[in-house]
Amino acid sequence: MTLTLVTGPANAAKAGAVLDPLRERLVEDPVLVVPAFPDVEHSRRELAETGATFGATVVHSSALFSLVAQRAGYRARRASELQRLLVARDAVRRARLQLLAESAGQPGFARALLRFASELERALIEPPRLIRALRDWAGDGPRRAYADEVGRVYLRYREVMDAAGLVDEDLFAGRALAALRADGATWRGAPVFFYGFDDFSPVEVQLVLELKRVCDVTVSLPWEAGREAFKATSALRNALHAEADETIELSARNDHYTPKSRTALHALERGLFEPAARRVKSAGAVTVHSAGGERAELELCGAQVLKLLRAGTPPGQIAVVLRDPQGYASLLEQVFGAYGIPYSADRSVPFHHTGIGRGLLALLRCALLDASADDLLAYLRTPGLLREPRLADSLEAAARTEGESTASGARALWERTPNRWPLDEIDRVAGARSPAALIETLERRLHALFAGPYRRRAPILSGSELDDSRSFVAAKRALAQLRGVVEADSGVALQPRELHDMLAELSVAIGEPEQPDRVQVASPLDVRARRFHTVFVCGLQEGEFPQGSSPDAFLPDGDRREINAAAGLGLPLREDRLDRERYLFYVAASRAERQLVLSSRYCDEDGDAESSSFFVDAASALFSDLDQHERKRSLAEVTWPLEEAPTAAEWERAVAHAGERRTAPARGDLELPAAVAQLQAKDAMSASALERFAGCPVRWLVEDVLDPERLEPDPEQMVRGSYAHRVLELTFRRLHEQTGDRRVTGANLSTAERILVAALQEERGAFKLSPNQTRVRAAVRRLEFDLLRHLRYESTADGVFEPEHLELRFGFADSSYPAVDVAGGVRVRGVIDRVDTWNGNALVRDYKSGKVEKYKAADWQRERRFQAALYMLVIERVLGLHAAGGVYVPLGGTERRPRGMVSQELAAQIGSGFYENDVRPEAEFGQTIEWARETIVEVAGRMRSGALRSCPDTCAWRGGCSYPSVCRVEQ
């Protein structure tokens, strides 16, 4: 039997040197081995195009070992990645580590163990051999304890795997090789052809050599003597060359390239990474993209892909190569999806990112882990679980308003609400007595959650619904696999947190599977055995392509060199991967037949500078005109130039961006007759609502008419104000009852303070300042200081007016005073915080939690603040008293003086604690009240007619729109 080695650079017709002999031997049942599963279908099509439809078996590398094992009669249960992870976690627990105990407690330790075990198994290193080598390396020195723990954790991994009756893929490969060695006749002499490989693991090399013993083997390998790009494949070439019966070295060819691109692309393949290469003109066959941020980079790529598609290039002849396509999956979906580009890419998401996953994991947390109210809501919001999703919204509103942050508390809120059912499934999960029982219970809930949206239907799933089914299948398979391990080995421990974390990170493949008639988004490894008309190599950034190297968590390269030297173990080195990265770039750059695009970024999405890969410089050095074939897109370009817009939607965005901006679009009046009739039927209007409408009708529409249910407690300032009003009302009322005094004076200040502090504690439960108890304590303490300072300030007042009416309500069904007819049938209602009286005169006081600078009388008409003036009119109509003033009293801050308007003629009786420009002659009072009356009538008329317009300058307290998503005012 013979081994034939075929070498040569890219595009040297190595495929012909492998596939032509295969076609000649179809009667012998040949086997074609390709690197990855996607290459299988491509190779089958390629063979079929030349008439070799039947006779040849095409498999990928992993499947070859399955074929070997099948023919040799070796059978074993292969472990999934999830089962391996569970075994690794249990192996770490059983190893009873001491030096590595702290590291073993980290989430990534078990996965690092899996990578380490895979390396050892691919190198055919059994635990006893590793332990002996580590002891030879460590001797009796300080490294001995560490070496023993490293060897022991690998031994325990293999022991737990054996106890569960499982083998992982790498161990299966080694044992399949052993079975072939034991009886090579089982292979039946079928020739084997390896095509598209550039690297073999040690076990794969051994398989090639063992197959050579029982059949003819042909291996193609990218390699050319003296080339920098092929350093990564030199060791493998030398090893196979030493065993080969014949080595065929093919020369470079340029007949694969299109005529217009042949010179440039051939020069790139021949000169990449070669210092003495001659420069040529790219003539557009090689172009460069430079972008600001990842999105701009993909937008440049997407626009160019659209041009190619519109020019007639088949989608399957375009490749977008990324070093890690999965990292770009979401952005690709956004950009290519918006551009309507048909593309194919492997995409997966963690199980906890899926609808079913969020619900199932939230249920597990609610049952067995420390769960929050958000976890219960996440479970209830699983699609299909509630027929009326608003039930979850109302629970969230109740939980936030009540400040309930735990899942148990939120569940109690749910179950004590009328017409709600008990959430018994939480108890069923919590009541599982063993890991197997817990998994079985979760499986039942998984079925129920998946079936929920389709209850009493027989749907044909499509679109995003297929992703639901993929999530369900992945989780069902994972739970079955985990149950298989814990049932096979009763010693395997599976804690709820471990189960939760493993399921959360379970990878779920979503989107359409690879399709050859779509633009291929792939890694360099995925395209190494194929060619395309146009190739985009994106993400050419330092640290991304080339990728940085990282040492092994258990044995860094320095230790591996020493162990290899001491024990001849043959551990692979990991840290220096630049040769491999250089080769992968060569592979990606040599796949194009017509055009190659090299894409990099000069900054990230935040504008911070990024360094492009030196691979771009290496390729650019081969061309003299590359600067003429460069396209740029900056981070600031939110739209395309009109002439370059790739899609109709992007063109419309560009037109809108270039058009004239609107500063305050007009709002139309309410047109629905029923809505207008409802407004006109209102009997009495709130003084605060009228003032709100005067400030901005849209804000009034949202807060007073639409009145949306809030999903959070009332704002702290609002609750603080209500709390302060109630405490002051009780303080003044009880002060009068206990001392006979209505005013706070120096003589009764201590009594008033005692009454206020007691009222604060008494009323605290009625006002939820915050869901956070720490914030509540701080807020109550702060309010106590503010109100005590207010009492001290009042005790120094030199006026003779006394508080008589507290929280005076008028116009309500339960109030002693009727609504006030302002004029023209406009009736108002409201609550006046406090009315001080003296000798038939009255001073209106309105409490404010914050500063009152904006409430000075000089600003009333400009700011359309008429509430104090309205209340002055009300006390004259309702109480029959003469209005001596209306002021806004601050309850916080350092400035204690009120702002508003007080009578100059009664200034001595009112007191001296007012700003000079707020003291006005009596004649102004009548003018101000008349202005307020006219304004209220005008505002009420517009309110009743449903006249709406946006007023962003007066909407919010500090200016600006309070509800931009409703109003949509452009500023």
Side-chain angles (χ1 to χ4, degrees), residues 274-319:
E274 299 301 317
R278 68 183 185 89
R279 302 181 78 196
V280 298
K281 288 188 175 183
S282 74
V286 179
T287 61
V288 174
H289 286 177
S290 179
E294 292 179 354
R295 186 180 187 91
E297 181 180 18
L298 289 187
E299 287 175 340
L300 271 177
C301 175
Q304 189 69 14
V305 168
L306 277 181
K307 283 185 178 181
L308 293 170
L309 295 177
R310 289 166 181 166
T313 302
Q317 288 298 322
I318 301 172

Side-chain angles (χ1 to χ4, degrees), residues 816-846:
S816 303
Y817 301 100
V820 175
D821 190 336
V822 176
V826 177
R827 289 157 51 84
V828 296
R829 56 181 171 82
V831 181
I832 304 175
D833 294 339
R834 176 174 146 190
V835 180
D836 293 358
T837 62
W838 173 78
N839 197 25
N841 298 289
L843 175 67
V844 173
R845 290 181 180 268
D846 192 64

Side-chain angles (χ1 to χ4, degrees), residues 644-661:
E644 297 181 17
T647 66
E650 289 294 337
W651 185 85
E652 290 174 358
R653 290 184 68 232
V655 170
H657 183 262
E660 184 178 348
R661 308 298 288 168

Side-chain angles (χ1 to χ4, degrees), residues 706-898:
L706 300 179
D707 191 20
E709 182 180 3
R710 295 183 178 275
L711 295 183
E712 67 277 333
D714 290 332
E716 187 174 319
Q717 282 296 100
M718 182 185 299
V719 179
R720 171 190 160 96
S722 301
Y723 192 9
H725 288 196
R726 177 60 177 161
V727 168
L728 288 175
E729 178 191 2
L730 291 175
T731 299
F732 283 106
R733 197 179 305 282
R734 291 171 179 174
L735 178 66
H736 178 59
E737 292 171 354
Q738 295 179 23
T739 67
D741 297 329
R742 294 184 182 277
R743 295 173 53 200
V744 179
T745 64
N748 63 24
L749 177 60
S750 60
T751 302
E753 290 178 336
R754 175 180 53 78
I755 294 172
L756 184 141
V757 171
L760 273 170
Q761 294 302 318
E762 177 184 328
E763 294 295 319
R764 177 173 171 176
F767 299 92
K768 289 191 176 295
L769 285 163
S770 169
N772 185 301
Q773 290 305 309
T774 302
R775 285 180 57 88
V776 168
R777 288 192 292 270
V780 171
R781 193 67 170 159
R782 186 165 57 249
L783 180 60
E784 179 182 335
F785 289 151
D786 285 342
L787 294 184
L788 288 174
R789 280 198 296 266
H790 175 69
L791 290 184
R792 293 187 194 109
Y793 177 77
E794 286 225 345
S795 71
T796 63
D798 52 3
V800 295
F801 279 68
E802 293 184 336
E804 182 174 353
H805 301 280
L806 305 170
E807 299 298 317
L808 176 65
R809 295 167 57 83
F810 61 96
F812 297 96
D814 60 345
S815 60
S816 303
Y817 301 100
V820 175
D821 190 336
V822 176
V826 177
R827 289 157 51 84
V828 296
R829 56 181 171 82
V831 181
I832 304 175
D833 294 339
R834 176 174 146 190
V835 180
D836 293 358
T837 62
W838 173 78
N839 197 25
N841 298 289
L843 175 67
V844 173
R845 290 181 180 268
D846 192 64
Y847 295 132
K848 295 297 178 185
S849 296
K851 298 178 181 179
V852 294
E853 179 60 30
K854 278 195 172 185
Y855 291 96
K856 56 183 180 288
D859 292 340
W860 282 7
Q861 294 192 30
R862 177 171 58 82
E863 299 286 343
R864 299 174 73 80
R865 301 191 188 282
F866 47 73
Q867 188 165 318
L870 170 62
Y871 287 165
M872 290 164 63
L873 181 150
V874 167
I875 62 170
E876 290 183 342
R877 297 276 184 89
V878 170
L879 301 179
L881 300 174
H882 172 259
V887 294
Y888 297 92
V889 180
L891 296 181
T894 56
E895 181 53 66
R896 292 289 165 179
R897 285 183 292 178

Side-chain angles (χ1 to χ4, degrees), residues 75 287 302 408-409 610 642 692 710 790 883 912 960:
R75 301 287 185 273
T287 61
S408 58
E610 283 193 337
L642 284 174
R692 199 155 33 243
R710 295 183 178 275
H790 175 69
S912 58

Side-chain angles (χ1 to χ4, degrees), residues 176-200:
L177 172 63
L180 180 65
R181 281 177 177 161
D183 188 1
T186 57
W187 185 251
R188 300 192 295 272
V192 182
F193 299 83
F194 290 85
Y195 173 69
F197 289 88
D198 50 50
D199 191 20
F200 283 150

